[in-house]
C-alpha cells in the first residue's frame, strides 16, 4: 500500500538534511507506527507521504500512485489528521464537516454519524472557536474519515485527550483496521504504539 525507497529531504533554503535514505514498506490493512523523538523527521516524512512536500529525492508510492506524478484525485482515497487541528474556527462542528465533505467527488460519510462516534453530537452547532483542545482533536480526527479513506495518516491522534476519549479514539482506529484501512501512525507515545501498531 505504501512503498518508500531512498527518501531524502532538505527544506528549501536549509543545508540540513532532515530525511536521509529512508526506505520502508507498509502492507494493506496494516497499522504502521512511525516513531521517534521530537525533531526526528516524523512529521516531515508524513507530509511527503500525503503529498504536501515536494522536491524530495527517492521514490514514494501510496495506494498505487507515484507521488511525483500525483494529481488531485490522490486525495479521494486518503485521510489526514494533523497533530495541530486545521479547522475553521468561525464555523460549527457540523458546518466544518459539511464544508470538508464538499471537497470530495465521491460520496462521503454522514457528518452526524461521525460526530456521534467521538461524542460530539451535542456540540454539533457550537462554533469550533469555543472547543477545547481535546474537542478539536476529536473533530479533526473524524474530518479525516469523511471520505472513507483507504490510507489514513494520523499524527499524535491522542494528544490532548483525557483517558476516556483517548480510549475511544484507539478503539475507532482498531475498528478501522478491521475494515481494511491502512494506517500510518506517527507518535512518540510508546503506549499508543505498543497498543495499536503491528510494526
Amino acid at each position: 500500500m505504501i512503498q518508500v525507497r531512498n527518501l531524502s529531504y532538505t527544506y528549501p533554503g536549509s543545508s540540513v538534511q532532515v530525511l536521509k535514505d529512508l526506505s520502508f514498506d507498509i502492507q494493506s490493512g496494516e497499522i504502521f507506527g512511525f516513531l521517534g523523538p521530537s525533531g526526528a523527521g516524523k512529521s516531515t516524512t508524513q507530509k511527503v507521504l500525503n503529498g504536501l512536500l515536494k522536491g524530495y529525492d527517492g521514490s514514494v508510492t501510496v495506494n498505487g500512485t507515484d507521488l511525483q506524478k500525483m494529481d488531485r484525485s490522490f486525495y479521494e482515497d486518503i485521510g489526514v489528521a494533523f497533530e495541530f487541528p486545521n479547522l475553521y474556527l468561525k464555523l460549527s462542528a457540523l458546518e466544518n464537516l459539511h464544508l470538508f465533505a464538499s471537497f470530495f467527488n465521491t460520496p462521503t460519510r454522514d457528518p452526524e454519524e461521525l460526530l456521534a462516534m467521538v461524542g460530539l453530537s451535542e456540540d454539533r452547532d457550537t462554533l469550533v472557536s469555543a472547543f477545547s483542545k481535546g474537542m478539536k482533536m476529536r473533530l479533526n480526527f473524524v474530518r479525516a474519515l469523511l471520505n472513507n479513506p483507504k490510507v489514513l495518516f494520523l499524527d499524535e491522534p491522542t494528544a490532548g485527550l483525557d483517558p476516556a476519549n483517548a480510549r475511544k479514539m484507539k478503539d475507532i482506529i482498531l475498528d478501522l483496521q478491521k475494515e481494511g484501512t491502512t494506517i500510518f501512525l506517527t507518535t512518540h507515545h510508546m503506549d499508543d504504539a505498543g497498543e495499536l501498531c503491528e510494526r
Side-chain angles (χ1 to χ4, degrees):
M1 184 57 78
I2 298 176
Q3 296 88 35
V4 176
R5 294 289 178 272
N6 307 114
L7 173 62
S8 297
Y9 186 80
T10 302
Y11 280 98
S14 173
S15 59
V16 179
Q17 194 173 42
V18 180
L19 305 175
K20 183 177 181 182
D21 204 28
L22 184 63
S23 297
F24 58 88
D25 291 284
I26 302 174
Q27 303 306 311
S28 180
E30 182 178 13
I31 300 180
F32 183 86
F34 198 60
L35 313 180
S38 296
K42 301 186 304 299
S43 294
T44 298
T45 302
Q46 190 178 80
K47 287 175 183 174
V48 170
L49 295 185
N50 58 47
L52 293 180
L53 289 180
K54 309 292 186 186
Y56 57 84
D57 293 319
S59 67
V60 179
T61 303
V62 177
N63 193 32
T65 299
D66 179 345
L67 295 197
Q68 298 281 22
K69 303 172 184 175
M70 64 171 278
D71 58 28
R72 192 185 179 289
S73 65
F74 172 72
Y75 293 104
E76 295 290 328
D77 292 319
I78 72 164
V80 181
F82 296 104
E83 179 180 4
F84 302 103
N86 51 334
L87 302 162
Y88 290 94
L89 301 181
K90 294 183 179 181
L91 299 180
S92 70
L94 189 59
E95 288 170 336
N96 263 277
L97 293 185
H98 279 300
L99 175 64
F100 282 105
S102 72
F103 298 163
F104 296 102
N105 294 319
T106 51
T108 55
R109 294 179 70 166
D110 178 7
E112 299 270 11
E113 170 205 337
L114 293 172
L115 291 173
M117 184 188 297
V118 291
L120 289 175
S121 290
E122 292 184 5
D123 303 289
R124 63 193 291 278
D125 297 318
T126 302
L127 297 186
V128 173
S129 59
F131 275 22
S132 67
K133 179 181 178 183
M135 292 168 76
K136 289 176 183 173
M137 289 296 292
R138 286 182 279 152
L139 179 58
N140 192 56
F141 175 74
V142 293
R143 181 193 59 74
L145 305 183
L146 274 167
N147 57 322
N148 289 301
K150 294 178 182 175
V151 184
L152 181 61
F153 293 96
L154 301 175
D155 194 353
E156 303 292 359
T158 61
L161 297 182
D162 60 78
N165 279 308
R167 175 73 266 156
K168 187 180 295 184
M169 295 276 273
K170 288 189 270 192
D171 288 343
I172 294 169
I173 290 168
L174 291 170
D175 286 343
L176 288 167
Q177 183 203 20
K178 288 175 186 173
E179 294 167 9
T181 308
T182 303
I183 300 169
F184 184 90
L185 177 66
T186 303
T187 187
H188 60 257
H189 294 290
M190 294 306 295
D191 289 345
D192 286 0
E195 185 175 351
L196 295 172
C197 302
E198 296 166 284
R199 205 158 47 91

